[in-house]
Every structure is written in C-alpha cells, then in structure tokens.
Amino acid sequence: MDFPILSLLILIPLIGAVITLFMGGTRQKSAKITACVFSAITLVLALLVLFSSSDFAGMSESYEWIKTGFITIGFSLEVDGLSVLMVFLTALLVLLVVIFSAEDKEIEEDRPNYFHTLLLAMEVGLMGVYTASDYFLFYIMWEVTLIPMYFMISWYGGPRRHYAAIKFFIYTHVASLVMLIGIFAMGFKAAEITGGSIDFSFASIAAAMEGANEGFQALVFALLFFGFAVKMPAVPFHTWLPDAHTEAPTGGSVLLAGVMLKMGSYGIIRICLEALPKGAEYWQWVIIIIGLVSIVYGAFACIAQKDLKKMVAFSSISHMGMVMLGIGCLSYAGITFAVFQMFAHGLITGILFMVCGMTGHKVGTREIPLLGGLAGKMPKYATFMMFGFMASLGLPGLIGFWGEFPVIYAFYEFIVANDVLWLLLFCMLSLMLTAGYYLWAMQRTLFGPETTKIDLTHAHDVSKSEFAAMAVLCVLVAFFGMWPDAALQFIEPYTQGIAALFGVI
Amino acid sequence: MDFTAIFGDYTAIAPMIILIVSALILPGVHLLGKRHTATWAVALVMAAVSTVINVLMLTDSFTGSALGMVTYDAYSGLMILLFQIVLLLAVMVSNASVETTRFNVGAYYALMTAAATGMMFVAGSKDLMMIFVGVELTSISSYALVSMKRNDARSAEAAVKYVIVGGMSTALTLYGISMLYGLTGTTEIAAIAQTAQVQGISLMFGIAMVAMIAGYGFKIAAVPFHMWAPDVYEGASTPVSLFLATGSKKMGLSVFFQIFLVMFVAGTACSKIAGPEIQYLFAIIASITMTVGNIVAIAQNNIKRMLAYSSIAQAGYILIVMAVMSEYALSAGMFHMFTHVFMKGGAFLVVGALICVGIGEKISDYRGLGKRSPFAAAAMMLFLFSLAGIPPLAGFTSKFFLFSSTMGVGTEAGVSADAQWIWLAFIAILNSAISLYYYARVVKAMYVDRGEKTEKVKIPAAFAVAIAICIAGVIVLGVYPQLIFDFCETAAHTLLFP
C-alpha cells in the first residue's frame, strides 16, 4: 500500500482542527468553510476506502512506533468489514453536521471556529478508534474523543450543560480506565503465554488469548465489557446519556448518538468477541439480558418523556440494546445484523437529533405537551420528523426494518435452541412500545390543532443547509432500506470469520 | 566531543564543576553589576553550558569517575540532565517573576544553583556518605530558598516547618547510615549489600533500613511523611515551588533507586537479601501515598496546595518501581520522572505567570481564564490532563509504561517473576480516575465558569517561553516516548547491572 489512505483519514481532520483552532477574530466566519473542506476530503477518502475493490477484503497500514526491550507498540491501522461502514458513517455525519450547523445563530455568535475545531478533533478520535489495530493506539483514540465532546457540551450546550458535561466526562473516563485494566491484563497474559515481550497489536493479543483459560477470559471480558457497555450505553450504565444528549448542541448529539455510542458496540465485537470468545460464551446470558432490559427499559422510558430530545435519547438506549441483543446471540445472523443495526441507527439517529435540534431552535421549546399542530406551519420539518420516526420504528422499506427484524429473528433462533420461548414476549413488547411512543409523540407535536400554549409567530421552516443535510440522510435511509445488501456485502465476509469462532455458521 | 582535555581527571563531574563555579561567582556578579538581569543572565548561561556539556557526554556514552566517590554513567548522566532541565526552567522565569524582585538575587541564584549541584552529586554517587552530603547541600540551600519571601508570614512558616522536618529526616538518615557502617564497616552501597548477604539480615540491619526509608521518605513526601510539602510549596515563591516539586523530589526518588533498588536487586547474587517483605512495605507505602495525595487534593482550593498533593500522589506512582523492583519498572519510573518535570513544572509555571499578572492562587481566581489568557489556560489544561493521564499526552504514556511494569515484564530471575503486583496497577488506575476529578475542576473553572473580570492579560515573555518548552515536552514525549525512553532503559540497566 503506497498511498497511506488510512493514516490520512486521521491526519486530514487533525490538520483541519489545528487550522480552525487558530482562525480567531475576523476569520471566524470562514472556519465553517475550512471545516467543510476538510471533512469533505475525509469523506472522499472514506469513499475511496469503501470502493477500493469490488469484493472488499480490507486494508491495513502499520508503522513501528514504540519499541522497547519489553513492549512493542505499532501505529497500526486496519479497516475491514466491521469498521468500513463506521468509517464511512463518521466521515459522512461530520460533514453533514458542519453543513447543518452552517446557519446556526448561536454557534455563529459564540466562537464558531472552536465549534469546528471540536468537531474535527472528534473526527480524529473516531477515525482512530475505528481504524486502530493496536491496543495502545485504540485506547489513546478512545480517550481523544472524550475531551472535544466535553467542551462541545459545556460550551455550546443547554442550561444544565456544566453538570451534564462533567457527568459525561467522569462517567465514561472511569469506564475507560476499567477497560485499560482489562487491556493490561490481556497484555500480561499474552506475554506470559508467548514467553516474550508484550506486543499490543490486536492480532498478536488475540492469537495469544487462545491459550488463556475460560476463567481468565471471563474476567477480562467483564472488565472490557463494562468499559464498552457504559459507552453504548446499556442499562444500568446509561444514566449519563439522557443528560448529555439533552444538554448537547445538535451537532454534538448527532455525533454522540450517531457514531460515539457505536464505539461501545464496535469495541465489544472487535475486542471482546475477537480476542475473548470463551469469555463471550461464558457471559452470553448476561449480554442477552442486558440487551433485553435496555430495549424494554429504553422504550418504556421513552413514553414517559416530555422533552422530545430526551425521548430520542432514550430511544437510542433501546436501539443500542437491539445491537447488544444481536451480539449476545453469538450467531452469524445476530452479529451481522447487529453491525447492520449500528450503521442503520447511525443514519436514522442523525435525522432524529437534527429534527429535535430544530424544534428547540425554531419553536423555542422541545416540551411535547407545549407543542401541537406544527405540520401546518412547518411542513418540511414535519415531513422529516415523520420520515425519521418511521425509519426508527422499523417501517419496512426503510433501513430501520433491516436493523431490527433480523436481529429479532436471530434472537428467535437462540431462544428456540435454548427453549425459552417466553423471552420473545419482551421483543414483541418493545416493538409495540416503539411504535407507540413514536406515533404518540408525532401525534402530539405535528398533528391536531395548532398549539396556543407557545408563540409560533417566529417559527419558520427548515433552512436550505439543514434541508440539504437531512435530505442526504433520508436518501441513504431509503436506499439501504430498499437494498440492504449494499451494506451487508461488507459485513458478511467479516461476520463469517467471527461466527466461526463460536462454531456456528 | 572530548572533555577530558579540559577537565582532566574531573571530567566525570564536569557539569557540576560549571555549576559550582557559577554558584561561587553569582553573589560577586550581583555585587559588582547590581543589575538583576545581569545576574540572571549569568546564572542562566552557566546552567545552559552545564546542560550542553552533560548532553554531549550522555550522547557520547561517557563513563568515568572522579574523587573516587562520584561516577558518571548512563544513569547519573540522565538524572543530571533531569536536574538541569529543572534548574533551567526555574532560573529562566525567576527574573520575570514578581515574586522574586525583592530577593537578594545574587544569593537566590547561587543557592538554587548549589541546590541543583547537590542533586547532581547524589545522582553520581555510589556511596552513602556522598549521597548524604549531596542531599544536605540541596536541603540546606532549599531551606534558605523557601524563606526568601521575607515579608510573607506563610513563607516564614513554610521555612520553619521545612527546616524542622528536614532536620528530623537528616537525623534519621544519619542514624541509619551509622548503624549500617557499624554492621558492615563500609559506606559503599554495593559492599554493604555483599557483606549483608554474607552476614545475613540482622534486626539491626532492618532497623537501619527502616530509619533510612523514613528519612528519605521525608524528602519525597511519601505518606506518612508528607505533611510539610503543601505548606512549603504554598509558602515558597512559585519558581522555588517548581524547583522543589520537580527537582528535590526526584532527588529523593533517585536516592531510593540508588540505595534500595541497588541493594536488593543489583547482581542476582544479592537479590534476595531482604526478601519480599521489603517489596510489600514499599507497595503499601506506594498505594497509601498515591491514595492520600489524590483524596486530599480534592478538598484543596489553593491551586499550589492542590499541585502539592498531586505531587505526593505522583511520587506514589513512582514508588511502584520500588515494589516491583525490576529493570523495566525502573526505566518506566525514570521516564515518568521526566514527563512529570514537564507537566508538573509546566503547571507551576502557569501559576507563577498568572501571579505576575495579578491572578491569585485560588481555583476560583481562575474563572474565565480561557477568555482572559487563552494561551495560559490551554497550557494549564494540557498539563493537568497530562497529569491525569489522558492520552495522547506524556503523562498517559509514562503511566502506561509504569503501570504495565506491574505485570511482571522484564523481571530478572529470582525477583517477582509473576504478576503479583497487578493489584498495585488497579489501585494506581483508580487513583488516576480520582485525580481527574480535581484536575477537571480547574479546567472547568478556566473554560466553563464565568469570571468577575474579563479583561485580557498578557503573561511575561520568559514564562511564555518556559511554558512553551513544557508543552513541547508534554506532547513530544507523549507521541514519541522513545526519544527519552531508550536512555531510560540504558540507565536502568546500568544502575542495576553495572
């Protein structure tokens, strides 16, 4: 590989972040153009990776970074069927967020260059997480995503932003430290098994872990799983998410829900399943139950929410629970569609959070009881909201359907094999609830008589840049809904390898 | 470059000779020149010359000894470099700092240079007496440095506390050394270890060890000998706090390495003379030190006190080396000492710079700093995040190496070949999480809270340069640790297996 395309995926946003950082004063206005250019270049690179070959076999780069007598750490990057869609999603969402926020007055007035610096810095971390194939690099990039998000919330967020930001920061940092302990433990065990120095690359640790017994794998799996589950977030480690989402600016929420939560599920598949298959089998029931509880709890919590954005935040918990359930099946179909659901949820949630952000901006409140009859006044806005909600509740023909129903099918296979048919009840319950809270929310905000509780005279419809950003997402949601194979062709070869670890094809 | 032509038999102490000359002429320079800046320039240039010579000797892999007591090898060269960086940083900003303008600067720079010289002699010695003399040179100079803020009651209190505690520690150490001499008839560390192996460990030997650990424990402010540190760092002028927190403490740690690690590890022949009990003792000291430091730091409202407690915690992390007692741990510990100089030194520099522009030492004074001085605030954020161990900054990389040493890699036969110390890593990592809380408080004050004042402030140029050096150190060592780590590995090997 002569052209270091994977390194550029990390480097280009980094250069963009540094440039926008110094665009203070009179040049603040042009920061968004710079950010747009750099994130567009990144997207082009991501597309090049995506279409690099007709049958995607992945690509990798590796440079020696730190080599001491006892530790080897490489600057190793790799993209395969699991990560390629996430890389694409990251590049896409960052560009769309830049476009979407282009006409945001609040950001315009408050140091707009820093907003774009934070966005691009986050992209650096996200790209790093999704491409790293070395534990040291992975952990660094994992933490790199944290700080921009912290500032994004505490600078551009809502009224309770300080509390939300520090809660997000401490909560997820502690979780990452637990994960770090797990990484140490694996490194040590690998050195003990191979009898040499520690090599922190994914491949060599995974190879060495084959020699570790079930007890060790289960222990380390628990440590790592905790770190990832907090990020996803799975009930009961989810409490930071609704706060962070409610207070974060729209752009931050889109990235947080769209790609940052996926870091958790990505980590579970990439690290927990790949390196510790015995541990995964040991904890299978726990994963399944956490997944189920997240789905049902998230859906119930959605019904109770008054704040539209908080409702969408809880629906994220529910949908990420679906990913967890798919992973927990440890089967070919389960993992394949869990990955697909990660991708699908990333696209849909982008629309949802953009819609919620607009509600706050244009109408002035996101309180559902205060809203009503917005469809008449803001028809484009209403269309996008309906489209997003329909996609999210799994309407056939849109991408959400392919994210959810095959996972439930995989779960059905699992419960038949284990003879616990009654568990299916929870899945059915969640489907009903999901449809319920979305339709109910829609009815209360968009339809019926126009609200008189708030002043709607200043409410205006979607602006051009916002329209552009959401339209792109809607087209993709419909496209992959009609032709899921366009995404599945990347995932399937990868999951065949993973499923083989669990002896099922 | 060959320095033997210039320094002859004394090449091994060439960097120290330059500084001794400097310390002797500085009061005279000040008396004749009567200009603060001239005296400052002489002190800075002499420190820089000494640093250049040492860097050349170090990269040349020079080895040699002088006076029959001081040797120069990869270990002492690296430690000397560390002390020189500290000295350079402290001297560089002293002229610009408003805290030092009333000082007798001739004496001030002379004392600081002398203190640094003492640290360097410690790093080069293989003999208990020589170590003792070096430590005393540093300590006595620092007592005077701390007391120099003459019309500040806190400074006087700090100095008195420092003298009394320091005197106590000296007495304990000397007591321990005299007992060892009585038992073995020598003060040479390697010889003591050999004799002890032949004689076996007596009760007397154990008491002597404990006395010395306690004595030098004062120097590194290990819990429970830490009470003086916050008062002293708060009371002294900021350049002096920087010098003590990053330099003097490293000297204490170096003494631990040179005496106890060498005695218990060096040459597998005398490896097990004290058994694993001493490792457990150090493991307990390490975990208590880091935990107490971090927990008490949470309650601090004065940023210098907070940094002092965080220094205590950092010393706790480095004491992991003493528990693990492996070559790899030592190199990781030395690397952490280097990164600590830049991050803790940088943090003190920011505090000092802000005092110059009228911003106080309380955390509440830092509100809105992100808008008032973006450079100082960004620098402070980098240093604090690095101290908390957030990647990709230097503090993360060095902690990663240090904590991974508990996994038992790189241990020599006969010494803890398994991962029995991994629980120390757990405690250390939990501590890192705690520490993030109080570091994040400062970051929040700077960037999120709104301050009463909003006018921009401009920090003095000398501070800006020194801070920029520290930022470079924190980022470069974080991304490319091998720059220093290779030297640390050689140094560790040289010290333990000469």
Side-chain angles (χ1 to χ4, degrees), chain A residues 57 61 67 83 130 151 329 338 391 464:
Chain A
E61 282 170 35
K67 191 163 175 60
S83 46
Y130 290 129
F151 280 115
C329 294
K464 273 188 197 131

Side-chain angles (χ1 to χ4, degrees), chain A residues 26 28 51 54 153 156 189 236 278 280 283 287 294 339 363 407 497:
Chain A
T26 50
Q28 289 189 345
F51 296 113
S54 53
I153 298 174
Y156 300 99
K189 196 75 181 175
K278 286 177 215 160
W283 292 108
I287 305 175
S294 298
V339 178
V363 185
V407 169

Side-chain angles (χ1 to χ4, degrees), chain A residues 285-304:
Chain A
W285 273 101
V286 174
I287 305 175
I288 295 261
I289 288 166
I290 288 182
L292 274 179
V293 171
S294 298
I295 295 172
V296 177
Y297 175 85
F300 264 119
C302 277
I303 297 179

Side-chain angles (χ1 to χ4, degrees), chain A residues 119-142:
Chain A
L119 273 182
L120 290 170
M122 230 181 293
E123 184 168 21
V124 173
L126 288 163
M127 285 294 179
V129 167
Y130 290 129
T131 54
S133 64
D134 182 284
Y135 281 101
F136 189 80
L137 184 64
F138 178 85
Y139 184 77
I140 284 184
M141 290 303 183
W142 182 274

Side-chain angles (χ1 to χ4, degrees), chain A residues 65-71 136 139-140 143-144 147 150-151 154-155 162 169 173 177 181 184 188 198 200, chain B residues 328 381 385 390-392 396 400 403-404 407 409-410 419 426 429 433 436 443-444 447-448 479 481-482 485 489:
Chain A
W65 184 9
I66 299 165
K67 191 163 175 60
T68 74
F70 308 110
I71 281 189
F136 189 80
Y139 184 77
I140 284 184
E143 290 284 279
V144 164
I147 293 163
Y150 168 75
F151 280 115
S154 61
W155 279 350
H162 301 163
F169 193 44
H173 183 68
L177 287 174
I181 296 178
F184 273 150
F188 151 66
I198 299 183
F200 274 105
Chain B
Y328 176 68
M381 181 179 77
F385 278 159
I390 293 196
F396 167 73
F400 189 90
F403 298 172
S404 66
M407 302 189 303
V409 281
F426 277 80
I429 286 177
L436 180 67
V443 174
K444 176 171 168 290
Y447 280 104
V448 180
V479 178
Q482 240 170 346
F485 198 77
E489 281 194 314

Side-chain angles (χ1 to χ4, degrees), chain A residues 250 308-309 312 351-361 366:
Chain A
T250 308
L308 198 60
K309 204 172 179 187
V312 174
I351 306 177
L352 294 181
F353 277 109
M354 285 178 184
V355 168
C356 291
M358 283 195 309
T359 318
H361 273 227
R366 294 187 308 242

Side-chain angles (χ1 to χ4, degrees), chain A residues 211-487:
Chain A
N213 60 15
E214 194 193 51
F216 177 82
Q217 285 209 4
L219 177 71
V220 175
F221 187 96
L223 293 173
L224 293 170
F225 183 79
F226 174 74
F228 297 133
V230 167
K231 202 79 179 187
M232 267 183 78
V235 177
F237 314 117
H238 65 286
T239 55
W240 62 270
L241 183 92
D243 284 313
H245 265 313
T246 327
E247 303 306 326
T250 308
S253 289
V254 170
L255 285 191
L256 183 60
V259 269
M260 267 181 97
L261 303 189
K262 312 300 181 289
M263 280 164 47
S265 47
Y266 174 82
I268 292 179
I269 301 177
R270 170 70 78 210
I271 292 176
C272 291
L273 295 197
E274 274 188 26
L276 306 160
K278 286 177 215 160
E281 276 163 4
Y282 182 86
W283 292 108
Q284 185 175 20
W285 273 101
V286 174
I287 305 175
I288 295 261
I289 288 166
I290 288 182
L292 274 179
V293 171
S294 298
I295 295 172
V296 177
Y297 175 85
F300 264 119
C302 277
I303 297 179
Q305 297 311 312
K306 289 203 169 68
D307 184 330
L308 198 60
K309 204 172 179 187
K310 213 166 188 170
M311 186 195 90
V312 174
F314 273 106
S315 86
S316 283
I317 297 177
S318 178
H319 287 112
M320 290 310 284
M322 203 60 100
V323 175
M324 185 80 95
L325 188 68
I327 294 171
C329 294
L330 298 181
S331 66
Y332 174 65
I335 297 169
T336 306
F337 285 97
V339 178
F340 188 86
Q341 165 78 343
M342 280 158 63
F343 180 61
H345 181 246
L347 290 176
I348 297 168
T349 207
I351 306 177
L352 294 181
F353 277 109
M354 285 178 184
V355 168
C356 291
M358 283 195 309
T359 318
H361 273 227
K362 300 191 187 293
V363 185
T365 179
R366 294 187 308 242
E367 294 287 309
I368 299 173
L370 296 180
L371 303 170
L374 294 178
K377 189 115 184 151
M378 307 159 76
K380 283 185 223 159
Y381 159 85
T383 317
F384 280 123
M385 188 194 256
M386 250 170 66
F387 191 86
F389 280 3
M390 287 303 167
S392 191
L393 66 80
L395 192 74
L398 298 178
I399 193 170
F401 176 79
W402 296 104
E404 286 187 19
F405 287 87
V407 169
I408 292 177
Y409 167 71
F411 182 57
Y412 174 74
E413 278 182 341
F414 170 80
I415 55 182
V416 167
N418 286 281
D419 203 20
V420 278
L421 209 56
W422 56 275
L423 273 181
L424 202 58
L425 216 63
F426 290 101
C427 285
M428 296 297 126
L429 184 66
S430 82
L431 289 181
M432 279 171 356
L433 288 173
T434 310
Y437 64 76
Y438 274 134
L439 293 174
W440 196 37
M442 221 153 64
Q443 194 206 351
R444 286 186 293 168
T445 51
L446 298 181
F447 306 122
E450 196 166 292
T451 177
T452 51
K453 290 176 195 142
I454 46 167
D455 181 18
L456 279 182
T457 46
H458 300 293
H460 39 84
D461 211 345
V462 182
S463 72
K464 273 188 197 131
S465 61
E466 289 164 345
F467 184 87
M470 289 194 293
V472 171
L473 286 175
C474 288
V475 168
L476 287 175
V477 165
F479 171 77
F480 286 107
M482 311 282 190
W483 191 33
D485 214 32

